[in-house]
Amino acid sequence: MNTFPVKIMACNRTFFDGRCELLVVPLQDGEKGIMANHEDTVFATEIGEMRLRTADGETIQAVCGPGILQMINNRALLLLGSVEKPEEIDVYRAKEALLRAQEDLRHKQSRREYEHTQATISRAMSRLKVSKKYQIEGY
């Protein structure tokens, strides 16, 4: 199968830099799969589960924060706010963040605070969903 170079970077690290066969990222209206020779494009990614199949057939799953995917000249660059493999997720911390955010929703908030709280809930729920899906301890 054809492969293409992918570089996935978060604020604190380079998550992946190599060749892959398939990259699937979460978008606002669903998921988008990218394969070799995809047309040049730019997407805004959302909080959710990301998957990629490397050139040697290994599948890597991760929870990613919002970001930008750029596909130019058969090269993908994905810049994210955060990215975590399932085994890196702190389940207890995600549960606590979810509970705190749900409590914050019960209080009167400005529009900006409300959107921040919604993003916190979305991140925590994505982490918990992936933790449960991949049987991470603590869930």
Side-chain angles (χ1 to χ4, degrees), residues 2-135:
N2 290 339
T3 63
F4 61 102
V6 174
K7 188 167 193 172
I8 301 172
M9 299 175 64
C11 292
N12 60 345
R13 67 180 169 157
T14 299
F15 179 77
F16 181 83
D17 190 2
R19 299 190 71 81
C20 80
E21 296 175 354
L22 173 67
L23 173 64
V24 180
V25 294
L27 303 180
Q28 185 174 6
D29 59 347
E31 291 184 329
K32 180 71 171 180
I34 305 289
M35 297 178 78
N37 303 311
H38 192 283
E39 67 183 341
D40 291 353
T41 189
V42 175
F43 294 107
T45 64
E46 293 290 321
I47 297 168
E49 183 180 356
M50 173 188 71
R51 298 179 306 279
L52 71 107
R53 188 169 55 236
T54 64
D56 60 359
E58 176 189 4
T59 300
I60 300 173
Q61 296 90 7
V63 174
C64 66
I68 296 174
L69 170 64
Q70 171 185 294
M71 184 72 173
I72 295 180
N73 293 329
N74 201 35
R75 295 177 174 271
L77 174 63
L78 181 55
L79 304 174
L80 300 166
S82 64
V83 63
E84 299 172 285
K85 289 183 179 180
E87 58 270 13
E88 297 171 341
I89 296 170
D90 184 342
V91 177
Y92 297 111
R93 185 172 162 230
K95 285 180 182 179
E96 287 298 318
L98 179 60
L99 292 173
R100 277 193 311 275
Q102 288 172 334
E103 180 61 31
D104 288 346
L105 278 181
R106 293 185 183 98
H107 304 295
K108 189 171 183 172
Q109 297 179 319
S110 68
R111 180 74 178 164
R112 183 177 179 186
E113 291 169 331
Y114 174 79
E115 289 173 0
H116 178 70
T117 302
Q118 289 294 83
T120 300
I121 288 172
S122 182
R123 274 191 307 275
M125 290 180 73
S126 291
R127 287 177 174 139
L128 293 172
K129 177 183 170 188
V130 168
S131 297
K132 186 174 183 180
K133 185 175 181 180
Y134 297 103
Q135 304 295 323

